[in-house]
């Protein structure tokens, strides 16, 4: 039955193929001479289950080869039923292909090749218009007699140095550019058409291993040793999480440690969360470096958020973590936390979005400017102090004051005064000058 249905379907397909050209412009309402509604109740799975393997293979050949749901082996119409003769020998296969290519005669040419004779139509470049020829002409620049004379008499090395100064990098190679900047003289044999050879790499000695005693430094942090202000565990491998936790538990009670470096130490999210909790209670740490570890972006946000409570961290470096790209949501959250931090001066993080980079850089610059103004105010307050009752004045002698003209409404002069603790300050002097002070003590 299945074979008869397949033959009937194939016959209907062949007979209807001759009439498809007349019905392409109208909407198809019939299939194989029957309405489409007739095929709605047909169960395709039942029909396919009634076909034999030979009938299924014949039906498979009628499938569209561009069907992406089929594997590539079934899209190809070629089928090889030959049994394999043995394992594939690549060398013999290549030799057979080369031998077959040599034995296959070349296709005969319609016109034999003759040296010096052009076969076919020769290509001739189209003639350029007058506008195109004018555009290709060189533009004459009047540089003046002085500059033109200097450039005409300049040597090749001088022109290369001038190109390096002006930033014309495409006119020279790398060796010429660096030689011009360092004023070493141009390399011999390297002109405009010179070939730059690769320079030999400089051998730098490997960095010595970090010999910091982990247990000793942990005890120093726990005991609040005043000699330990910089703790460097960079590049120390195989530090257990218990030692990290012991160090971080001792940080809130420490009042002398200012710099903590934990680069490339294998910090994970669990340990970094302990560090964030310790930063919230520490009041002396200024620099924290945790680059090149395995911290995820949410924990980085937690570390930046912890800085809002301590308000002592001035520099945080946390680049090159598990995820190179933080994402827009994480970067915007970090930006908002940084903008709320008045003490952070430097942030070592790779931000992808321009908005986040610009906002973070602007806020950090404002923090640096404010810190500079505060430092200037402190220096001014330490230099200019108000006079006290116990100050000893150093006044100008009468002999010098008598030389001055009559008093004028100009500002009063300043007098150098000395406090009891030998602290010198500049204060406005009194209009009455005492003649008891020697002339060599006059600050003016």
């Amino acid at each position: 039955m299945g074979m008869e249905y397949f033959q009937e379907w194939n016959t209907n397909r062949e007979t209807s193929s001759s009439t498809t050209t007349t019905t392409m412009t109208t909407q198809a309402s019939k299939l194989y001479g029957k309405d489409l509604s007739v095929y709605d109740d047909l169960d395709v799975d039942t029909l396919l289950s009634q076909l034999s393997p030979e009938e299924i293979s014949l039906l498979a050949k009628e499938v569209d080869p561009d069907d992406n749901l089929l594997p590539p082996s079934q899209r190809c119409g070629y089928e090889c039923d030959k049994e394999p003769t043995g394992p594939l020998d690549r060398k013999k296969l290549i030799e057979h292909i080369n031998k077959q290519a040599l034995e296959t005669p070349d296709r005969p040419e319609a016109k034999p090749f003759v040296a010096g004779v052009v076969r076919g139509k020769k290509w001739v470049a189209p003639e350029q218009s007058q506008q195109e020829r004018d555009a290709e002409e060189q533009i004459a620049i009047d540089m003046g007699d002085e500059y033109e004379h200097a450039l005409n008499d300049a040597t090749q090395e001088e022109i290369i140095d001038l190109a390096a100064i002006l930033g014309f990098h495409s006119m020279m190679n790398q060796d010429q550019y660096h030689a011009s900047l360092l004023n070493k003289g141009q390399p011999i044999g390297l002109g405009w058409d010179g070939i730059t050879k690769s320079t030999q790499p400089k051998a730098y000695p490997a960095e010595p291993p970090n010999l910091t005693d982990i247990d000793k430094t942990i005890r120093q942090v726990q005991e609040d040793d005043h000699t330990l202000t910089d703790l460097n565990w960079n590049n120390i491998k195989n530090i257990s999480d218990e030692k990290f936790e012991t160090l971080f538990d001792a940080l809130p009670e420490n009042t002398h440690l200012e710099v903590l470096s934990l680069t490339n130490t294998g910090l994970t999210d669990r340990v970094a969360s302990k560090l964030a909790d310790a930063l919230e209670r520490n009041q002396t740490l200024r620099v924290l470096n945790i680059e090149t570890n395995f911290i995820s972006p949410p924990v980085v946000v937690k570390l930046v958020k912890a800085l809002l409570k301590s308000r002592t961290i001035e520099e945080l470096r946390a680049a090159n973590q598990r995820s190179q790209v933080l994402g827009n949501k994480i970067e915007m959250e970090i930006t908002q936390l940084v903008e709320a931090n008045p003490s952070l001066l430097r942030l070592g993080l790779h931000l992808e979005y321009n908005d986040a980079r610009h906002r973070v850089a602007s806020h950090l610059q404002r923090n640096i400017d404010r810190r500079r103004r505060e430092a200037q105010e402190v220096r001014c307050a330490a230099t200019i102090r108000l006079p006290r009752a116990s100050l000893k004045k150093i006044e100008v002698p009468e002999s010098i004051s008598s030389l001055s003209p009559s008093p004028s409404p100009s500002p009063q002069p300043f007098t150098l005064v000395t406090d009891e603790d030998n602290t010198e300050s500049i204060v406005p002097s009194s209009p009455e000058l005492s003649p008891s002070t020697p002339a060599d003590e006059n600050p003016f």
Side-chain angles (χ1 to χ4, degrees):
M1 176 180 178
M3 191 60 186
E4 295 176 355
Y5 177 79
F6 178 77
Q7 291 177 354
E8 180 183 358
W9 170 78
N10 193 18
T11 304
N12 293 335
R13 183 182 64 85
E14 292 177 355
T15 55
S16 62
S17 61
S18 60
T19 61
T20 54
T21 56
T22 60
T23 59
M24 287 296 291
T25 57
T26 60
Q27 186 177 2
S29 60
K30 292 185 178 182
L31 182 64
Y32 303 130
K34 299 180 181 180
D35 295 335
L36 296 178
S37 58
V38 178
Y39 301 97
D40 293 341
D41 298 334
L42 292 179
D43 190 357
V44 179
D45 295 334
T46 304
L47 295 177
L48 292 177
S49 62
Q50 297 175 359
L51 297 179
S52 62
E54 293 80 7
E55 294 172 347
I56 292 178
S57 62
L58 293 176
L59 183 62
K61 294 180 181 180
E62 301 294 333
V63 178
D64 186 7
D66 295 333
D67 189 359
N68 296 329
L69 301 178
L70 291 177
S73 60
Q74 297 184 12
R75 299 181 206 168
C76 182
Y78 173 76
E79 295 181 1
C80 182
D81 299 332
K82 182 180 178 182
E83 296 294 334
T85 57
L88 175 63
D89 192 342
R90 182 175 179 275
K91 183 178 179 181
K92 291 184 178 180
L93 178 60
I94 293 176
E95 292 177 354
H96 172 72
I97 294 174
N98 294 335
K99 180 181 178 182
Q100 189 176 9
L102 293 175
E103 294 178 352
T104 302
D106 297 333
R107 290 182 296 177
E109 298 180 353
K111 189 174 183 180
F113 171 75
V114 178
V117 177
V118 178
R119 297 184 298 176
K121 185 178 180 181
K122 185 177 180 180
W123 182 82
V124 179
E127 184 179 358
Q128 292 183 343
S129 62
Q130 183 64 29
Q131 184 178 1
E132 294 177 351
R133 289 196 299 268
D134 295 341
E136 293 181 357
E137 292 181 356
Q138 296 182 356
I139 301 175
I141 302 176
D142 186 10
M143 297 182 297
D145 297 337
E146 182 180 356
Y147 292 104
E148 187 174 358
H149 179 70
L151 291 177
N152 290 334
D153 297 341
T155 61
Q156 190 178 59
E157 294 183 358
E158 294 174 347
I159 296 178
I160 293 176
D161 293 339
L162 180 61
I165 295 173
L166 297 178
F168 297 154
H169 307 291
S170 59
M171 296 178 60
M172 67 198 75
N173 51 43
Q174 192 174 19
D175 289 348
Q176 292 172 343
Y177 176 72
H178 288 292
S180 299
L181 293 183
L182 300 177
N183 198 17
K184 291 184 177 180
Q186 293 299 323
I188 300 175
L190 281 183
W192 295 117
D193 300 330
I195 299 175
T196 302
K197 297 182 180 180
S198 59
T199 56
Q200 294 295 330
K202 297 180 180 179
Y204 291 97
E207 294 184 1
N210 193 345
L211 301 179
T212 303
D213 191 348
I214 299 177
D215 298 330
K216 179 181 177 181
T217 52
I218 290 177
R219 288 194 302 268
Q220 287 179 314
V221 174
Q222 291 175 339
E223 297 172 0
D224 197 6
D225 189 356
H226 68 279
T227 61
L228 183 63
T229 60
D230 187 350
L231 179 57
N232 186 349
W233 282 6
N234 291 345
N235 302 320
I236 298 180
K237 303 296 183 182
N238 302 324
I239 301 178
S240 62
D241 293 346
E242 290 77 10
K243 293 184 179 181
F244 278 123
E245 294 176 359
T246 305
L247 174 66
F248 298 155
D249 291 339
L251 282 180
E253 307 299 331
N254 189 281
T255 59
H256 294 90
L257 186 63
E258 298 181 358
V259 180
L260 179 60
S261 300
L262 302 175
T263 302
N264 193 22
T265 54
L267 280 176
T268 57
D269 288 345
R270 187 177 69 85
V271 182
S273 300
K274 296 280 186 179
L275 176 60
D277 298 336
L279 292 178
E280 295 179 355
R281 296 176 291 168
N282 185 272
Q283 299 298 327
T284 57
L285 203 61
R286 295 188 303 103
V287 179
L288 177 62
N289 189 348
I290 53 174
E291 294 179 341
T292 316
N293 284 296
F294 303 99
I295 304 176
S296 61
V299 181
V300 174
V301 174
K302 187 176 181 180
L303 289 169
V304 178
K305 187 177 182 179
L307 305 184
L308 295 176
K309 294 186 178 181
S310 64
R311 298 295 180 92
T312 58
I313 298 292
E314 299 177 357
E315 181 177 353
L316 173 63
R317 297 186 177 275
N320 193 21
Q321 298 298 332
R322 175 190 298 176
S323 178
Q324 295 291 341
V325 179
L326 299 176
N328 186 23
K329 181 180 179 180
I330 297 295
E331 290 189 7
M332 290 297 104
E333 190 172 355
I334 292 176
T335 302
Q336 295 175 0
L337 294 174
V338 171
E339 290 178 340
N341 193 328
S343 61
L344 190 63
L345 304 181
R346 297 177 182 85
L347 179 64
L349 272 178
H350 179 68
L351 303 177
E352 290 285 338
Y353 296 92
N354 295 331
D355 183 27
R357 287 201 304 267
H358 177 71
R359 291 169 57 183
V360 169
S362 300
H363 181 75
L364 295 181
Q365 186 61 43
R366 287 195 294 268
N367 289 348
I368 294 173
D369 295 340
R370 184 175 61 254
R371 183 67 61 87
R372 185 184 298 109
R373 289 194 301 268
E374 292 175 355
Q376 291 177 355
E377 293 175 358
V378 170
R379 286 195 296 268
C380 293
T383 305
I384 302 177
R385 302 173 59 184
L386 295 176
R388 298 180 182 177
S390 59
L391 296 180
K392 299 179 181 179
K393 295 185 179 181
I394 302 177
E395 300 174 345
V396 180
E398 186 178 5
S399 60
I400 298 179
S401 62
S402 61
L403 299 177
S404 60
S406 60
S408 62
S410 60
Q412 297 180 357
F414 289 91
T415 305
L416 180 66
V417 297
T418 308
D419 202 350
E420 292 181 350
D421 54 355
N422 294 327
T423 302
E424 295 182 350
S425 303
I426 300 176
V427 297
S429 62
S430 175
E432 298 180 357
L433 298 178
S434 176
S436 60
T437 306
D440 56 354
E441 294 184 9
N442 182 21
F444 304 101

